[in-house]
Amino acid sequence: MAQGHQHGDHGVGDAAPLLVKILTVSDGVVHGTREDRSGAILEEHLSAHGWTVAAREVTADGAEMVAAKLRSLAEGFHGLVVTTGGTGFGPRDRTPEGTRAVLDREAPGLAEAMRMVSPLGRLSRAVAGTLDTALIVNTPGSSKGCVETLDAVLDVLPHAVRLLVDNADPHPSADAPHRSDG
């Protein structure tokens, strides 16, 4: 899929569009027994918030499958990769394990913030971190849960993605919700 050339709603003078790739992790979706509702809702939600969707893909559950797909999605990519599914306690829920296997650095603050937005979020084993110039964030497989948890960090993701290439990106405005300058 071609990379878009529109600017997001993330500030005046943005040099490049903010790109996102969405990965649905679900045996049911891969086998055609379940509709990819969480992937569709993430695409709609992120597009509405100024992100350009560069790809939307699906993989089966399992750490090795997730790791391989994440490596492929992140190769040569500067942007956000959002996964949906496989973060719970089911026997095949191994998205966090597959994600950890490929991360250069974890971003525990993002995962912690995402877990705390709802009672069921506390059951999530999701992780977040970087792989080269991609920021990877795991979300739950439910349509409500994936948006709810992503919204907990959506305001800081543009800054985080830009920092992966240009450490001179200015801090978000003082009008943004409370943040740490660390």
Side-chain angles (χ1 to χ4, degrees), residues 40-121:
I41 196 80
L42 280 172
E43 180 173 6
E44 180 181 312
H45 190 69
L46 286 160
S47 294
H49 283 86
W51 291 81
T52 299
V53 178
R56 186 169 145 208
E57 298 192 22
V58 176
T59 192
D61 286 291
E64 296 81 14
M65 300 294 288
V66 170
K69 188 58 89 168
L70 287 173
R71 279 188 198 99
S72 172
L73 288 171
E75 186 175 347
F77 179 64
H78 173 223
L80 177 64
V81 178
V82 178
T83 71
T84 177
T87 62
F89 291 99
R92 300 236 338 123
D93 288 343
R94 300 285 184 213
T95 299
E97 289 78 6
T99 303
R100 274 194 189 96
V102 302
L103 291 180
D104 297 324
R105 299 176 289 173
E106 284 197 44
L110 293 175
E112 291 163 10
M114 293 169 73
R115 270 191 278 282
M116 297 311 296
V117 296
S118 74
L120 288 180

Side-chain angles (χ1 to χ4, degrees), residues 24-36 58-63 65-66 84-86 90-95 141:
T24 300
V25 180
S26 170
D27 289 337
V29 173
V30 167
H31 294 109
T33 60
R34 181 181 293 169
E35 183 183 344
D36 182 12
V58 176
T59 192
D61 286 291
M65 300 294 288
V66 170
T84 177
R92 300 236 338 123
D93 288 343
R94 300 285 184 213
T95 299

